[in-house]
Every structure is written in structure tokens, then in C-alpha cells.
Amino acid sequence: MPKNEALKKVLIIGSGPIIIGQAAEFDYAGTQSCKAIREEGIECVLVNSNPATIMTDPGIADKVYLEPLTAEALAAVIERERPDGMLAGFGGQTGLNLAMELEQAGVLRKYGVRLLGVNMDSIRRAEDRNEFRQLMMEIGEPIPRSVIATSLDECTAFVREAGYPVIIRPAYTLGGTGGGIATNDGELRLLAERGMENSAIGQILLEESVAGWKEIEYEVMRDGKDNCITVCGMENFDPVGVHTGDSIVIAPIQTLRDAEYQMLRDAALRIIRSLEIEGGCNVQFALDPDTGAYIVIEVNPRVSRSSALASKAAGYPIAKLAAKIALGYSLDELKNYVTGETSACCEPTLDYCVVKFPKWPFDKFKTASRKLGTQMKATGEVMSISRTFESALLKAITSLEIRLDGMRAPHIMSMTDEELLAKIDFRDDERIFAIAEAMRRGRARNGTSPPFTREAIYEQTKVDRWFLSKVDRIVKMEKTLAENAINADILYEAEELGFTDNEILALSNVPREVLTDIRVYNDIFPVYKVVDTCGGEFEAVTPYYYSCFDTEDESRISEERKILVVGSGPIRIGQGIEFDYCCVQGVWAIKDLGYEAIIINNNPETVSTDFDTSDKLYFEALHIDDVMNVIKKERPEGVILQFGGQTSLNLAEALSRRGIRILGTSFASIDLAEDRQKFNELLTSLGIPTPAGRSVTDRDAAFGAVQALGYPLVVRPSYVIGGRAMQVVYSDAELMEYLDEAVSLGVDHPVLIDRYIEGKEIEVDAIADGTDILIPGIMEHVERTGVHSGDSISVYPPHSIGTDVERILTDYTERIVKALGVVGLVNIQYAYDGRDDHVIEVNPRSS
Amino acid sequence: MEGMIYLEGGALYRGMGFGASRTNVGELVFNTSMTGYQGILTDPSYKGQIINMTYPLIGNYGVSDIDWQSEFIHAFGLVTRDISFRPSNRCSVMTINDWLAGQGVPGVYYVDTRAIAKRIRKEGTVKCVISTEGIPRETAARLLSETNLRCDYMREAGTKDVQHFPGGGKRVAILDFGIKRNIITSMTNRDCDVFLFPYDSEPERIMAVRPDGLFLSNGPGDPQEATRGIETTRAFLGKLPIFGICMGHQVLALAVGGSTYKLKFGHRGANHGVRDLETDRSVITSQNHSYAVEAAGVERQGMIVTHVNLNDGTVEGMRHRELPIFSVQYHPEGSPGPNDSEYLFDRFLSLMEGGRNDA
């Protein structure tokens, strides 16, 4: 069934701004679908309001409308463009909801626009709780006991029958907004009322809880001929009860027998068939580990965060193929993009283990509840690939940039038994580290006395015993490293389990030189293997690699001149998709100049980790060990750090010390810009004003600074991105509170205290080549100074500052850029108090 | 325990040993299934073969009482990247280590199974020594050269006596070249009255139970070695509805006068796409075969190729132009693998009820 020739022009709905539960994965999906459509010679029109995306770049779609994602705006675009078809399944929940609205408003009918890939009935039946339950019952799929409610009375009546706990899920929301688990009347009232408010139609679902069951997901695809495949099965580390976006997820499924695997696969296929989806779909199941019974939890009739993960985990580009299917192709007419030869109608087989670990924003929001439940709280995620689960898990933890080199979290290791048990019970973002500590204590006490026996930990957490045994294997290795003189065998074993150098050094207490000697003498370095969808059965043409400790190295090193781009890691507050945008742009420019562009990154949601983007992709942690291993292997001419935000910039010092050539702004310049003291001196010597300020490492110094500077003051920790916990303080009491609660003050964590300048905040972005400087933009903030630039409304061009002020800004910028020796991008933030421009901050990188 | 595999040509992979302390010589093949090692190891079609699993973590869910595809492990050895000594599944009754030890089968782990699979892809399936006894390389080399691999294991992999699995429906006679249990279950679940016959049974002996249909099972080895099975099958052409799976499919091809050939490294896994040319639909299949049917040969003998492999175009299924005879190369019974093709058992049932073959 070849493509539908009637389609000459297709409209794609993007997903708009990044919100929790809807992040970079839709840029990836949208970009892929645009590519897939244009490959067919079909005109592609994109509507999206988010400028920090690759898909809105010139050259991805034929036409881009940067418009608000409302039915009204879309109707206007449709009227103007008259597309033949519309793809709504690539813009997350936003896209589907808009399609529903446009359909209901009669817009699609009026202009003869065909909805491609998913039809109204499918959306309704998958999204409307009642219709979904009806459908599951029709096709004989088990679902939990439940009731649809629009009032509190209906809820209490249900609970009287089914008992607590119950799960509350609002209809038509994303990321489970407003949902939760109620264990008593008070929680029920709170959650039910909030849920009804959050639901677009004031409707919630109350259902019996299957908390503690295994949570299993399948990514399924179906074409117009009713051919179906599963791309990837995934198993959650956390049992049912934690939103899958907040769960550690493992691919492929680890603890199901084939019969169980096939039982759920069959169910997933029955479901996608009953919904008549042409494209991709995500199905979530709960499986009772004691009986093998299962229920269907949820279905997403579109590409999702999980499909981005599955695409990268399996090497199978779901969005691209879903777009082709929506255009009319069938799976068996399409080729597997990784092998280039074999059919897309196959089920990828993995010969490695993948771990996805969520990235939470709790470091930025100190007062937020860290408890995890049915409402997603993670802003992003990392993925890691290895040949063992232990190694994949440790690589993922290293990728998170949470200041941990392994599973030993000091503040958890210092807890009392009671605190530790309470921590595990509470089920927050750090639970896996608490579990590891429980294992540690269990081992220290010979694993026989409760509460830290493996079985007791299982009973408390219901995390599958297989996962627990793997955590235990890591803990055992910690002990081995601590208790034995390190030798080649122990080092290899530790590396094979994913231990970082820092962790090995900390545990074994040997000097780094000794470790290096053992490593070099015995040649203990990782090798790189290819992600190929087929377990080596067919030759792969895609250059998609991961590291592991094994014998054969598959990375083919070319004779080309190469440049390595270091990516930006997981999406977090203050470091979003914009850095991925920069990395991808950088990769394209490098290719255009005739170099081989190599990227290293660990975020599965992004375009940069699409194996189509660079000449070579290394899916790795952005830890110095991992980056150096890639550099050692590839020997690039240089490394570019300025696109990956603070993540890549933080590597500047370590790489520079190892003699690696950093292309663009040098480490010395970066350091100068980031070191408060040195930078202030530089500005003083240039005669450029900056708010008086100090860097302090203890309380006395902090109050000394107050004496010298006077209130109001801006306080913030140094060397972090996104102005974590930046605050304006007006009194001693406020300063005390800040130092107590918001930061951990110390020699390694100085706090910057600056005089607060009330006025306008202005940002200047510039690019310099060492000689010339171009200033493409001056942006004025609507909010006054003190509000972080990332939280301010920016206006471009500036509207209320005069040309004299602009001239001063230009002059200052030029002088700073020259003095710093910036080569590449720089962002400078100024405060204008009505008399002069004061430099607040300089970021020698993309921003 | 040390473990090693030594390949014809001299390649040696050293790792850790598990299971039985033993040395075996067999044909090294790879399987890409991510689940179902218990079904794979007990599939009689693997008799004489050493299986390199491409999925690196084997033994996660242990060994159960219910996932056996025959009475014991037929494979000569198992090669994996890592094994679980602490499995987790409600059905698990022992570890894979204990299981292999009890069954007298050697296993090797901690070797680069991906490198091994790629070698087989490039060089083809290869003669191989697996040992957990710490034998020197020279001993392995000598063993390898002294051993001639057999390709007639179908003569002993199946039943020796007639077995009866009673049912109230259609009576099926199975010619057993080394059948997987779930094929029998797939028939008995459809209320079939099943008689299992040794592969070399005389046609008269089979006719004596007055079957409604003849089924040709899967099994190990080169189908051309199954001479008596081929002759028996030939005797039933035009007399009974016939359905063949895997070796049964190849035996059918040979019985009608077609030919088979050996693939470079075969198909072993649970993820191959197969297109049904008659319905223009495709399914994901479970596969385990070294040999394939040559299309032109069977087409000259009144057969129609009905299914092809989407990756390499090899014959995956065929039927007779007029007679109620059909077969597939892949495994509709799954175990392990997808259940997408279970409908073929219904088709066989409908043929026995006098239905049309092209329906």
C-alpha cells in the first residue's frame, strides 16, 4: 500500500512550550515527521509556538508558523494553507486536544483536511475514561475496578465499596496533572476536588489501586493494513504507583518469562488494533508478580516520551515510521533505517541493557515535595546503554549531574535506621540510593537481621527482587574495592559494573597514578559497540555507539578531520531544549565545513541523539572519564563545549588540564568569566561598572559583606546554572533564612552576595571570532532586575532604552569580549539603573 | 569454573563456566530472542548445536516447571554474556546454573557474545568446542578435528513409540522429527485427538489410526537425512490434509520433489517479519532453522510460495495449488516468540473439515 498520492500538503501540530510531561521528545518527533514528509515530496507546514526547537528552524519544514497553539490560530493557518492532511499525533497531548477541538468546530470538514494516523474515534476512545473502559471490556482486556466521577459523593460511594487506597486520575490531562493516590477521606477530598478542577471536562476516574504490581510498557506500531509490531517492551524499576515519567525504566523487559512477555504483547496488539491507530501507540500494564494476572493501566494513542525513549533504546525511529504510515505506507514496504537493507516490519532485538533515569527539579525547588506519585515531576531524563544492568544503572546516575559518582549518597549513608526506613517508605526521588544503603547495612550485618534483609527490602518496596539483587551486586563491589588491594582483575570487574574512576578512588583509597598505571599496563579501557536493532544478525550502517567493557571494539575510526561536540545532558530548569538546538546547529555547521561531526550526549528525548543528526553518535555520560575515553578513541582536532550549556562548560577545566584543544573560547577565559573575584577585577580595570559584591564561604563573611554593601542584596550560589535559588534579601532575617534553607554554604560552595541594583535588565548576545564582534540581539526584560532572566518576559528589539544606552551596551560588550578573548558565543546581562549599565553576569557560551 | 569455546579456524573465547563440568563439540549458532531461553534450550531442533544468545542477560527469571518444550535440554551448550544466579519470577524453581548442571549441559558466560554473533554472521555457522573443564587449546583443537558433526539428529530427537493425546475433535497424526510441546498443545487446545508417530513410521501404521490430517513437525538436522519421513509423507500426498512446520515444511518440499539448501547462518530469533503473499499481510514470527526450501523447485511441483521472509526473501511458507497441503518455515506455536500466526492451526483444522486451502 504505497503512499496516498492525494496528499500534496500536510500540516503538523507541534507541542508548544516545554512543560513537565511534554519536553524535548516532541521536537525530536516533530523534526522526524517533517523529514519523513518532505522525503516524499510532500509540502510540510508546521505550527508551533516554541522557538527553541530544531523543528521550527528553516530547512526542516517547508513553512513554519510561530503561532500560539490554539484552535483559533490553527484554523487561520488551515484557511490560509489549505493542507490536504493534518498530523496531530506528534505534538503530544496538545496536538491531540487541538485536533479534537478543530474537529468539533467543523474546521477540518470545512476545509477538507484529513486527520492522518489517528482518527477522532481513536482519540476519544483512548482518552475518555469511560469509552476506554467500555472498549477494553469489549475486547476482553482486564481493567481495574473503577468509577467515573464528577462529584465528591460519587467518590465516597465508590470507596465505601472498594476501600482504600484508590487512584484518582483526571480525564484529558497530560503527565497525570492533578492525579494521586488517596489512602484516607482527607486525601480523597483534596485529590478529587483538585482532579475535577484540572480535568478539561470536570471528570475524574477513581480506581482500585494495584500499587506494588510490576509496571510494564510496550511501544506498538500499526499500519493501515493492520500489520502490527512491538518496537520495545520496557519494565519499570519502580512498581505501579509512581508515574512512568518519574520511574527508572529498563529496556528490554528483564523479569518476564516468554509466556508472560507474549501475553502482554498480544494484549498490546489487540488494543492498538481495536483503536485502529495508524502509527505509534504506548500501552501500559500492571502485572501482579504473585499471580501473573495483569490489567491495562493506560494507552497513549500517539508518539510520546516513551516512544522517544524506545526509539533511542531500540534504534528504531518510531516517529519517522509513524509519519510514513500516516502518509499511507505499510510497515512491510518500509526499510529498517539502521540496517538500510532489512525490513521495518521486524521487532528490534537488543543485545544490551538500557536504563532511563528521570531528572527532577528538586535542587531548584527546595520547598517542593519530593514524594513521587501519579503526577509527573521530572523535567527530563537521561538514558544509558551497556552490556550489564549494573553498568547501565551506574552510567545513568553519572549522567544525571547530581554530584554523585555512584550509589553512595553521603546524606543518606549518615541516616539512622529509622530515618532510612522512613526515607524508603516515603518513595521520593532518592529512594534507589536509600535502597542501596539498606543493602549496605544488610551486608554489614550479614543479611540476616531485619529490617535490612533482601526480602524485607522487597516487601517494603516491591521493587523486583532481580533489580534488588543487581543493586546488591553494586554494593558488594563497593565492599570489595574498600577491603582489597586493587589489582587488574578487581579494576576490570568494577569497570564492567560501571564504577567511575572517582568512585573507585574514593573506595579503594589508592592514588590516581596507581589506578592509571594499572589501567594502562593492563589495557583496561572501554570498547564501543553499535546499536543495530538486530543483535548483530545484519550489518548496520548507522554510527550509533555506546561504551562497555568487552573484547571487540566496533567503532570504525575514519581518516577524516573530526570535531567533537559535547551535548547538554538532561533537560532541567535553566537548561532546556535550547542547548540541544545549539548542539544540532553546531553539528550541521561542522559537517558543512567538511569535518566529521561527532556528538556525545545522554538525553534520549533530543534531536542531537538522533542517529541521523551527526556523523557519529556516542550515547554516553558527560562525565570527564567518558568524554576522555571518546577523545582517546577518536582523537578529534578539537572539542566544542560552548553549545552544551553549563554541563559541557563544566568540563572545560578538566579537559584543558589534560591538554585537549577546546575550540572557541579557552578555559582561561571561561574561568575568568566565572570566577567572581577575577572577573570583578577585570571589569574594574576596564572601567565597566558592576554591582559591588563578594564571594563568601561562611556566615561571618556573609554578614561582613552586609556591613560593607548594605541591603538590599542579591544572593546566589556561584558556579551553577539557572540561578539556582537566587533571591533578593532585604534584612538579616531573610539572609539567615536563605543561608539556612536554600544553599549548603561551604568552601566548595561559595555564595555570591551582590548589591541589588534596581532597574531594567537588559541582555546582550554576541558572537566573536577573536577579531570581530557581531551583536545580533539586545533584549530588554519586562520584569525589573532581581527576577531571573529565564523567568522574565523578554522583548526584542528593546523598546524603552535610548540609543545612548545602546551605544554604551555595545561599547561595554565589545570591550568585555575582547578582554575575555571570547571566540564564539557570549551572553551578557546588564542592569540599567537610569544612569549607567552595570554588568551582572557573563556567560561565555550559548544560552 | 573456567569456560571456553574454541571455533574451527582457531578462534578462542575464554570466559567463566557454569552448568555442567563437561566438554562438547557441536555447531555454533546464535539466537537473537530476548526472552525464552528455557523454551529454546529444550527445543529438540537445537540438538547438536551450541547456542550463543545475543541478549546479554540470561537466567533473569530462572527456570520453571511449565516452560519446557520437551523432556530435557537438547542443545549441546549455551554461551551468554552474563547469567543471573539470583533469578526472580513467581514460576522460577531453580537457577539456570543449577538447571544446566543437572542436565549435564555446559555453559560459558562472560564472553563477548556480540563479537561471536558477528563472526557467525560473516563466516557462517561453525564447528565449535565448548568446555568448562579447563582443557588446553591443543586438546580442543584435536577434539574439533576428530569430531564429525552429525546432521541426522531428527532420527533420534523425536518419539520412539506412538503416543496418544486424546481429544474429542479431529484426529491428527504427527510425524515427529523432534516436536516442540506447544505444537501438540496448540492441537489439543483445539480439541484434536493427537497421535504422535516416530519420524520413520510406515504409512500403513499411521493409516491404522484413521487420521483426518497429517502434521509434519519441526526437528534438528538436514531434512535430506530424513529419508524415511520424506517417503512416508509422499505416500500421503493427495490422501490427507497435510500441515508442516519448520523441518516439516522442508520435508514436505522434498516429498513433493523440491529441494532444500543450507543457509549461511540460518534464522534464529523471535523478530523476523514474514509477508503472506496471498493476504498481503505481514506478521512477526519465531524462527529456528538452518535450511531453507528452494522456491523454483517446489513451484515446478504444483506448490505456490505463500510466505516470504521480509529481510532476505527466502521461502517462509507454501501450499499446494489444489491439494489441502500447506507448510511454514517459521513457528506459529511461538514458545518462545510471538503468537501472531496461531491462526495457522485453525487453517489446518478447517482443511481437515474439508475447507479450501486458499481460503
Side-chain angles (χ1 to χ4, degrees), chain A residues 225 227 254 257-258 260 265-266 332 343 347 349 351 464 466 496 529 532 536 549-552 554, chain B residues 32 35 54-55 60 67 81 84 88-89 112-114 121 271-272 280-282 311 336-337 339-340:
Chain A
K225 284 200 282 194
N227 298 325
Q254 300 294 339
R257 293 157 49 240
D258 183 65
E260 294 162 335
R265 181 185 174 278
D266 287 348
D332 52 6
S343 174
E347 297 196 346
T349 186
D351 58 5
D464 193 277
W466 189 82
E496 208 248 340
K529 297 223 177 268
D532 69 2
F549 281 78
D550 227 326
T551 51
E552 189 192 35
E554 297 181 44
Chain B
T32 63
T35 51
T54 62
Y55 186 64
N60 299 1
D67 295 312
R81 177 64 179 72
S84 280
S88 166
N89 190 283
D112 192 340
T113 46
R114 177 168 168 86
R121 175 184 90 208
N271 68 338
H272 280 240
D280 191 28
R281 288 277 302 276
S282 296
N311 291 331
N339 302 317
D340 301 7

Side-chain angles (χ1 to χ4, degrees), chain B residues 97-211:
Chain B
N97 180 44
D98 293 344
W99 186 45
L100 261 68
Q103 292 270 320
V105 177
V108 171
Y109 73 106
Y110 222 52
V111 288
D112 192 340
T113 46
R114 177 168 168 86
I116 295 169
K118 282 176 60 199
R119 178 184 289 270
I120 296 170
R121 175 184 90 208
K122 285 177 196 141
E123 297 171 13
T125 43
V126 61
K127 206 203 290 188
C128 162
V129 177
I130 183 168
S131 177
T132 52
E133 295 177 306
I135 59 167
R137 187 190 191 110
E138 299 68 41
T139 312
R142 184 171 46 77
L143 267 172
L144 194 90
S145 62
E146 283 172 5
T147 313
N148 285 321
L149 292 187
R150 288 176 55 188
C151 49
D152 60 351
Y153 280 120
M154 81 291 291
R155 294 180 185 180
E156 56 192 64
T159 182
K160 301 279 169 291
D161 317 299
V162 180
Q163 294 182 48
H164 186 204
F165 301 86
K170 290 291 170 190
R171 181 165 296 164
V172 178
I174 295 180
L175 218 46
D176 181 9
F177 301 97
I179 197 165
K180 279 166 72 183
R181 184 169 287 169
N182 200 41
I183 295 180
I184 300 171
T185 311
S186 299
M187 307 262 192
T188 51
N189 282 348
R190 287 168 173 77
D191 205 23
C192 290
D193 188 37
V194 175
F195 283 89
L196 200 60
F197 286 95
Y199 95 100
D200 56 355
S201 302
E202 298 290 330
E204 299 72 33
R205 192 176 173 197
I206 294 170
M207 278 316 285
V209 303
R210 307 173 63 85

Side-chain angles (χ1 to χ4, degrees), chain A residues 800-811 832 834-837:
Chain A
S800 76
I801 58 172
T803 46
D804 48 330
V805 176
E806 277 192 40
R807 214 167 16 237
I808 295 171
L809 288 171
T810 309
D811 173 51
Y832 177 63
R835 291 186 307 278
D836 210 341
D837 293 302

Side-chain angles (χ1 to χ4, degrees), chain A residues 628-700:
Chain A
M628 274 311 293
N629 283 330
V630 170
I631 291 174
K632 173 176 172 283
K633 180 87 198 154
E634 291 285 351
R635 306 198 179 280
E637 293 202 0
V639 180
I640 295 188
L641 301 176
Q642 54 182 296
F643 300 141
Q646 203 63 31
T647 297
S648 52
L649 214 56
N650 284 345
L651 292 167
E653 183 177 3
L655 288 176
S656 183
R657 264 199 279 123
R658 285 164 173 81
I660 306 303
R661 186 170 162 216
I662 296 165
L663 299 177
T665 311
S666 69
F667 165 65
S669 305
I670 295 169
D671 187 50
L672 188 54
E674 299 213 326
D675 184 309
R676 201 67 189 169
Q677 200 73 34
K678 288 191 225 164
F679 187 61
N680 273 352
E681 284 162 17
L682 176 76
L683 289 176
T684 311
S685 73
L686 291 172
I688 295 173
T690 184
R694 288 190 188 178
S695 170
V696 301
T697 52
D698 61 49
R699 250 151 232 273
D700 287 349

Side-chain angles (χ1 to χ4, degrees), chain A residues 179 190 220 250 277 308 318 352 421 444 528 548 599 726 808:
Chain A
L190 193 78
V220 205
I250 292 90
I277 291 160
I318 293 173
Y352 45 81
L421 286 170
Y528 294 91
C548 62
I599 193 147
M726 178 171 81
I808 295 171

Side-chain angles (χ1 to χ4, degrees), chain A residues 225-229 252 254-262 265-266 269 273 289-292 332 342-343 345-353 387-389 454 464-466 469-470 472-473 492-493 496 529-530 532 534-539 549-552 554, chain B residues 13 30 32-36 54-57 59-61 64 66-67 81-84 86-92 110-118 121-122 265-268 270-275 280-284 310-311 334-340:
Chain A
K225 284 200 282 194
D226 205 28
N227 298 325
C228 292
I229 62 160
Q254 300 294 339
T255 66
L256 297 194
R257 293 157 49 240
D258 183 65
E260 294 162 335
Y261 180 95
Q262 301 301 342
R265 181 185 174 278
D266 287 348
L269 262 45
R273 287 196 160 112
D290 297 326
T291 64
D332 52 6
T342 57
S343 174
C345 188
C346 74
E347 297 196 346
T349 186
L350 282 56
D351 58 5
Y352 45 81
C353 179
R387 296 275 279 168
T388 61
F389 169 75
R454 288 207 298 267
D464 193 277
R465 293 177 183 89
W466 189 82
S469 81
K470 296 292 167 182
D472 190 44
R473 197 165 157 198
Y492 187 87
E493 206 183 319
E496 208 248 340
K529 297 223 177 268
V530 175
D532 69 2
C534 59
E537 184 171 6
F538 307 103
E539 189 140 10
F549 281 78
D550 227 326
T551 51
E552 189 192 35
E554 297 181 44
Chain B
Y13 295 87
F30 69 84
T32 63
S33 300
M34 294 186 287
T35 51
T54 62
Y55 186 64
L57 312 176
N60 299 1
Y61 44 86
S64 78
I66 41 186
D67 295 312
R81 177 64 179 72
D82 197 6
I83 64 165
S84 280
R86 282 176 10 208
S88 166
N89 190 283
R90 75 199 152 88
C91 296
S92 175
Y110 222 52
V111 288
D112 192 340
T113 46
R114 177 168 168 86
I116 295 169
K118 282 176 60 199
R121 175 184 90 208
K122 285 177 196 141
F265 55 88
H267 297 158
R268 288 174 195 85
N271 68 338
H272 280 240
V274 165
R275 178 189 269 145
D280 191 28
R281 288 277 302 276
S282 296
V283 289
I284 302 299
L310 284 168
N311 291 331
S335 308
N339 302 317
D340 301 7

